[in-house]
Amino acid sequence: MQFRSEPFVTNNPVLREMLECGGVCLWDTDLTTDVTVYQDGFWEQYGYSTASLANTRDMLKLVHPDDARAMSRAFRAHLAGETPFYQAVWRVVSPSGELHWLLSRGKVTARAADGAPLRMLGVYNDITELKRSEASLAESHAELDAVFRSSSDGLAVVAPDLTLIRANAAALRLVRRLGAYELVEGESIQNVPAFYPDRPVMADVARTLAGEAGVPPRAIAARDGIAWWEFSYSPVSGPAGEVLGAAITVRDITEQKRLEEVRMRSLRLESMGLLAGGIA
């Protein structure tokens, strides 16, 4: 098979612009000579010369050491006919040490009579920004998860069918004190005495699951009559505005209740003092 001396697709400026905008590079490999022709200008953006990478093995020098083995394994598996196409995600190391993520896909398009691969066509797609976004999203999720788990307030999310999707340790502990019940994720909250259908909290949750915003908080006394919990609610909405569930926050307001009681007692004593003074 004869390869052109100039890289291909350069004679179509519109196609080339489209490929560059998408971070895509086309490549064509002669597997009998290990010579690869790349789209013009692709490797230059990473600080390398396309002309110096004609030999397929030259490109392997640019692959991050941690990714080389998996990439080579996927390549060999496809050449052996074990997979319908070749696909690998790996990092290219620029001369300055900067890392860029590439998704490589290819397919053998010609084989000899004995099945030996002769030619392979494929693309490289730069997915660096996608990988950075994934890393940033994973970091945000980790931070939110840490806040969720460590919060002193009880936090829980309930599905429209009243199944507990997720709850932190504080929420499970407060529920246990409310109704002496061990609630677990994946179970219906209706099994908890405080959430029986005829209880006020259940009506609040139902309103929240119906998409009603601003359902007022509700204070409930624990079964020992000593502690007080405040339940507050918020709908969890999807991209189209559909209600995916209800977020419930349970806060210990025992101290707040105690201070209110002290204040009310002081006001009563003050009123009695003023009344006594008036009578005198």
Side-chain angles (χ1 to χ4, degrees), residues 9-168:
V9 306
T10 55
N11 59 340
N12 189 327
V14 175
L15 177 58
R16 179 176 176 181
E17 288 293 333
M18 292 173 63
L19 293 171
E20 289 181 355
C21 287
V24 175
C25 166
L26 303 182
W27 48 269
D28 187 347
T29 299
D30 182 342
L31 296 170
T32 63
T33 62
D34 275 338
V35 173
T36 300
V37 178
Y38 299 99
Q39 180 180 316
D40 188 28
F42 181 78
W43 289 113
E44 278 70 14
Q45 65 184 313
Y46 303 116
Y48 297 102
S49 169
T50 299
S52 66
L53 300 173
N55 188 290
T56 306
R57 290 185 176 83
D58 292 334
M59 185 274 294
L60 295 176
K61 300 174 184 177
L62 315 184
V63 181
H64 191 283
D66 292 345
D67 305 329
R69 180 175 297 178
M71 176 190 175
S72 297
R73 186 165 54 245
F75 189 81
R76 291 194 302 270
H78 177 62
L79 294 184
E82 298 173 6
T83 57
F85 55 84
Y86 153 69
Q87 177 172 308
V89 175
W90 47 279
R91 289 162 290 179
V92 56
V93 186
S94 69
S96 62
E98 186 177 1
L99 297 177
H100 297 269
W101 286 91
L102 295 181
L103 167 63
S104 57
R105 291 173 61 95
K107 185 174 183 179
V108 173
T109 58
R111 291 183 181 272
D114 61 356
L118 301 176
R119 186 182 187 187
M120 190 172 183
L121 300 177
V123 298
Y124 290 145
N125 186 215
D126 191 312
I127 58 171
T128 303
E129 289 305 316
L130 175 61
K131 281 292 186 179
R132 288 173 179 168
S133 297
E134 288 177 350
S136 177
L137 185 60
E139 184 178 349
S140 298
H141 281 174
E143 292 173 353
L144 289 174
D145 186 66
V147 171
F148 184 91
R149 287 185 287 103
S150 63
S151 174
S152 59
D153 291 337
L155 304 174
V157 180
V158 178
D161 64 355
L162 301 180
T163 298
L164 180 64
I165 298 175
R166 191 179 183 195
N168 65 357

